[in-house]
Amino acid sequence: MNSIEDETIAFVKTVNPLDKERNPRSVEEWLAEVEKQMKHSLRDVYLKSLKDYATKDRKKWLFDWPSQVVTVCDQTLWTQMVEKSLD
């Protein structure tokens, strides 16, 4: 996946628009698979980024990951801190 900001997230698994016999699959079928892989790949990068956050300086971490992932991780970490402060 490529963003307008020139950030790239690779699919965890390649999507092939052809079936096993090398015939074209229906558009609905392989596009549904593309959507599934987009979600799966974003989740994978998100979880890796969260783990990486604990091992690096924040400024370095910010620029090592795609901005969409950094934003979601920041929201997750902020929520965790708020919940912890309310306990």
Side-chain angles (χ1 to χ4, degrees), residues 1 9 11 15 31 33-43:
M1 291 178 287
I9 296 177
F11 280 3
V15 176
L31 275 181
E33 193 175 333
V34 167
E35 182 180 5
K36 181 179 176 181
Q37 283 306 312
M38 288 172 72
K39 291 176 183 179
H40 183 71
S41 300
L42 283 170
R43 182 179 188 272

Side-chain angles (χ1 to χ4, degrees), residues 3-18:
S3 74
I4 197 166
E5 290 84 17
D6 205 28
E7 296 175 328
T8 302
I9 296 177
F11 280 3
V12 173
K13 180 183 168 190
T14 305
V15 176
N16 191 345
L18 304 176

Side-chain angles (χ1 to χ4, degrees), residues 18-81:
L18 304 176
D19 64 17
K20 292 177 183 174
E21 289 81 36
R22 311 282 299 156
N23 297 315
R25 297 189 306 170
S26 70
V27 173
E28 298 83 4
E29 183 182 351
W30 66 265
L31 275 181
E33 193 175 333
V34 167
E35 182 180 5
K36 181 179 176 181
Q37 283 306 312
M38 288 172 72
K39 291 176 183 179
H40 183 71
S41 300
L42 283 170
R43 182 179 188 272
D44 182 63
V45 172
Y46 162 76
L47 293 173
K48 288 177 181 176
S49 177
L50 272 179
K51 284 183 184 178
D52 193 43
Y53 180 81
T55 67
K56 288 185 180 169
D57 177 63
R58 180 172 169 76
K59 288 182 183 178
K60 170 130 178 63
W61 174 81
L62 279 171
F63 293 101
D64 284 350
W65 297 96
S67 58
Q68 180 182 7
V69 172
V70 167
T71 301
V72 174
C73 287
D74 268 343
Q75 291 172 344
T76 301
L77 295 165
W78 181 85
T79 301
Q80 287 175 348
M81 288 186 293

